[in-house]
Amino acid sequence: MSQPSKEKEDEDLSRRTRRAALKRQNIELGGEEPTKALDSSLKRHTALIKRMRQSIGTDNHDQIMKDINSLTLEKYVDEIAGAVLEGVGRCKTEKDVWSAVEVISSLHRRFPSTFTPALTALLAPALAPTPRAQLSALTPEQREKEDATRVSRQRPVLRVCSELALVGIIRDAPGKSGGDWVMKTLKDLLSNDPSLSSLPLLSAFLKGYARPFLGLSPPAHKQQISESSEPGSLAASLSSSTADPNSASPHIPTHPAIIESEELVEKEVRDKFRRMCEQYFDSVAKKLVIEHKRLQEQDRRNHEAYIRSGEIFEDRQQQYEKMTKGYERLLGSCQTLSELLYLPMPELPTQSQKADSILVSSGTGQGDAQEDIYTTGGKWEDEEERRFFEDLQDIRDFVPNTFLGIDEKGGEDGAEKDKETAKEDEKDKERLEQEEARKLEEELNKLKMNEDTGVLVNGTAKHGDNQIAEDDEDDAPTPIPTPPKSPTPPLTPTLAPQGPSQLLTSLLTRLPDATNRSLIDQVAVEFAFLNSKAARKRLVKFLTQVPKNRTDLLPHYSRLVATLNKYMPDIAVELIASLEEEFRYLQRKKNVVKELSEVRQKNIAFLSNLTKFKVVPSHLILHMFKVCLDDFSGVNIDNMALLLEGCGRFLLRSDETRERFGTMIELMRRKQNMQHLDQRQLLVLENAYYQCNPPERGPREEKQRTPMELFIRHLVYDVLSKKTIDKVLRMIRKLDWDDPQVVHSLRVVFTKAWKIKYSNISLLAMLAYDLQRYHPAFTVDIVDQVLEDIRRGLETNVYKANQQRVATVKYLGELYIYRLISSSIIFDTLWSLVTFGHPQGKPLPNQPCPIDMADDFFRVRLVCVLLDTCGMCFDHGVQKKKLDNFLLFFQLYTFTKIDLPMDVEFMLSDSLEALRPNLVKFKTFEDAAFAVDDMFDAAMQKTVGSDGEGDDGEDSGDDSDRERDDDAEEEEEDDEEVTAPDSPTDDRAPSPDTLVVLSTPENLGPSEEDDSEFAKELAKMVTDYGAESRKVDKRTAQALWDSNVLPTNLRKKKAEDSDDEDEEDDGPTSEGQDIMIFTVLTKKGNKQQAKKLAVPADSTLAVHTRSAQLQDRVEQQHLKRLVLDYEQREEVEELKALDARSRNGPIRIRYVG
């Protein structure tokens, strides 16, 4: 025996001896009272409970034991039990667990009738699984986190409970151990754990307690177990070796003999516990094999997707990684259980074995061509459809064999009979297939011969089953399928179904609600428990009476039939016979088209779904297709289209039907080309054909981009944000702007605003504004391209470009906010959105416009987006008036549409409420039309009244505007509207002088030449200032004197005197009073005095003063006139620009009602 095995056996023996000794103490000394006096201090009791809540491990063991033996504790038993449970959860090591067992044993010996039941009642819920209702409300990530937390919380509790069961505290009955209690607790945990998250608990339990509870001993080192070993054989050999110490197993280390009376757990409990663990291991092994196959299948599909598209998508890759992690975790747990239970690992299929079972090839050249179609497309459109039609559950795993009619004794005889029957069926099937292939070849030869003459011979068959349309049956009554009748309600109320008939009725009533895979599989299991001949007949009758308008149920009903077909084949046989008979009847009633169209659709859909489940024989569905092909006219064309859409892809890509069905499709295409079918039939056949046999598509070619282009796209699309805009600006400025390719890449990125996040469009406009200072031509190109994109969108009005158009309009508004464009461009765009494409730019109700129909509300969305972006800037001055006029016309434009959808109406009301909360909203188109007419009448009157002074007003207005910084933007609008009304972007005003640079980390200081020139100019300025400083402006001196020196009362008096003098001056001067009165100020102390001084009017002082006063008065009058005429001139210029845009004069809308 090796040294590690010997040490392991010694440790197990010492643990068993220690547990046995403690168990004797708990049994013999239970209920004894302490001999010394006990302390009843509240403070010490509170400290003890607090210490127990913290931990009852080795750290507090001695103090807790001392307090237990010295305190009364009788009044605090329930609180102590709760504190012990909290302290047990903090026992992580083996020493802490044994310390907790000793503390609990000491309390048990003092209070066996009060403490022990209270603690046991608390331990059972602590080891209970999480309720399923609580788990179902969590997301998968939250559920995984909750399971991990629960396992870590329950692991120390389970170890302590196992020890308590061994030392006689937790007992199943008097005189017995608590092994059965532990087994039931573990069974409850594992049986309510479909995700196998409790596997670590079982592994931890087996590592420490496999020997006392199962009769097994954990291996000292990992051992290789033969795969040929049967499950349970190694455990049985261990038990026999335990009973017979002389015998030894080659796989299991021998142990010293232990007398059965010395065992801490009874033998029957150990055997029962061991069988439970072995059964659970079998379930885990099956789960492992299933997950292994799923992982290999996912790997194969990823490989095919990589070959097909050249890449594996991120979601598929994440799903594969998640499956791999789960499989590895399950594999590790299964290996641990295999070693602890001495059971062999299940055999896992390798990738080569899996590939051999999937690859299918054919020997003919035609088959090779079809094989390419199969591998590229596959018989299923997606993975979900494949799982629905192929992954069928075996109800034998859920239902006993007696309910399925399987006789285990006669299994071998039945198997031989089944083999013989299968051979006979295969021979009949081959014979029918050869006959069908021969008929198809003959038909194709006839068609090839008739193609030269241009005559098509009707292909209606004259022999066998193809002669279906019989004259004597044309008058047969048309059957109208009725839904299954609900059972008659009983006279006396019943609480729940009692007998099998009532249970079946309830099941059939719930069947139409089973609209997913899990529900229909559950129905199959429930029906299997009610299996009988009468039940099967009722089910077939129910399935044949599906309502005509519930074709959505047919795939789920077909899955139900396919699931039951393995053990109840008569259901499928009777159902197919009924559907075939219905198909024949519908062929006889080909003349009844409209009334039986839904019945035909239901019949073909049911047969197609059963075909994809391989319930309908392939020769039968091909025969039905051949019947429709022989009479290629009328409703048979619709039947063929339904068959092609329902199961054509499956038949064309299945190995057993691909050749014959491909020949039939070729025959159908030939007849389709030779016959004169109407447009509807041609469209139906073309759609069905391309749905079952879609054209091959080559892999999508990825656009090749240069590294510099990729870098630019990365900066703008990925890096750009509010925090990194300065960094992106620096990187873009450092690019080679002399390279045309770099500039082109930047122009593409800056003009396609729809390729970045919608919230980052403002940042893109900010970047364009920052680049204007260094590359003004680049920003001009950006604005031109944006306006061109908006115009192109108005001209084409393509639905798929709507998202791009929204982003472009948003981008235009952001460019205005950052002063890259003027307000005239915004208003031109707004007016274009509501007038472009309409006759003479006048939108009217019931007047069709090909690019702006009455039910197209997208332009309303564009206007709202632009107003939401920059409309708040037009809240004063002329711009406010412009926006008010546009909103008036915009309301009229909305009345030319039909009733606005709710989302568009909310968007419109929100935009108008944000811009003009007090805006008067019109109720009808007439009111809006009258208001627009009044607006244009007023504008025309102003235009006519200002024609005489237009030129002077413009010149003076330009001079005045240049002196006012606040109205600089209005000046730009005037210049642009007068000079270039048709193309406002061709001659745009320069950017403002004041530039705000967000970040200037580079050194942009002056050069040495600039420094020297600045020094010369400074010296010259200092020299000139010496002479200029002695010159004083008289007007400035007088203004300073009047405002700062002259008191207020004297200033008023002076003004009155000056008015009197003016009146006197206007009169005659014959009296010789040519004088001018000046005021002289004198000061005595703190008091000022004013004296009048008469100065001759012809003196130099009087002449200069009078001329200065007259000049100031003229300038004030001129400035006053300019200010009063400013708004009128702006409105005149606006109407002139609007008149230049509208070729036939201003827009005038008259409503005649």
Side-chain angles (χ1 to χ4, degrees), residues 830-880:
L830 289 172
W831 282 97
S832 299
L833 290 175
V834 296
T835 61
F836 183 82
H838 294 274
Q840 299 181 355
K842 303 173 184 177
L844 294 173
N846 302 323
Q847 176 178 279
C849 177
I851 57 177
D852 188 19
M853 300 300 292
D855 58 349
D856 186 3
F857 311 99
F858 190 69
R859 290 195 183 185
V860 180
R861 293 178 181 271
L862 293 180
V863 172
C864 292
V865 169
L866 189 55
L867 292 178
D868 292 341
T869 304
C870 60
M872 73 291 294
C873 301
F874 310 132
D875 57 350
H876 63 278
V878 182
Q879 294 179 350
K880 180 180 180 181

Side-chain angles (χ1 to χ4, degrees), residues 802-981:
N802 284 354
Q803 188 175 4
Q804 300 179 7
R805 295 172 64 186
V806 170
T808 305
V809 170
K810 168 77 173 176
Y811 190 33
L812 182 70
E814 295 291 346
L815 290 176
Y816 170 75
I817 290 178
Y818 288 99
R819 305 178 67 182
L820 288 174
I821 58 177
S822 62
S823 62
S824 61
I825 297 179
I826 298 297
F827 284 105
D828 287 344
T829 304
L830 289 172
W831 282 97
S832 299
L833 290 175
V834 296
T835 61
F836 183 82
H838 294 274
Q840 299 181 355
K842 303 173 184 177
L844 294 173
N846 302 323
Q847 176 178 279
C849 177
I851 57 177
D852 188 19
M853 300 300 292
D855 58 349
D856 186 3
F857 311 99
F858 190 69
R859 290 195 183 185
V860 180
R861 293 178 181 271
L862 293 180
V863 172
C864 292
V865 169
L866 189 55
L867 292 178
D868 292 341
T869 304
C870 60
M872 73 291 294
C873 301
F874 310 132
D875 57 350
H876 63 278
V878 182
Q879 294 179 350
K880 180 180 180 181
K881 183 65 176 177
K882 287 182 179 181
L883 184 59
D884 291 339
N885 293 337
F886 171 76
L887 293 179
L888 191 66
F889 190 85
F890 183 47
Q891 291 188 68
L892 180 138
Y893 172 77
T894 57
F895 284 114
T896 62
K897 303 290 184 181
I898 60 176
D899 295 338
L900 297 177
M902 186 177 296
D903 57 338
V904 179
E905 186 177 0
F906 286 167
M907 179 184 293
L908 177 62
S909 61
D910 292 343
S911 300
L912 297 180
E913 183 70 21
L915 295 177
R916 299 291 185 266
N918 300 324
L919 179 67
V920 177
K921 297 182 181 179
F922 301 106
K923 301 297 182 181
T924 59
F925 178 80
E926 304 90 73
D927 299 339
F930 286 129
V932 171
D933 287 340
D934 295 340
M935 178 186 71
F936 283 110
D937 289 340
M940 287 299 298
Q941 293 176 3
K942 291 182 179 179
T943 303
V944 174
S946 59
D947 286 341
E949 54 183 1
D951 297 337
D952 297 339
E954 288 179 9
D955 296 339
S956 61
D958 292 343
D959 296 337
S960 175
D961 289 342
R962 292 189 186 95
E963 295 176 0
R964 299 176 60 188
D965 295 337
D966 295 337
D967 296 335
E969 192 170 357
E970 283 80 353
E971 176 191 351
E972 295 171 5
E973 294 171 9
D974 294 341
D975 295 339
E976 290 169 5
E977 292 180 359
V978 173
T979 57

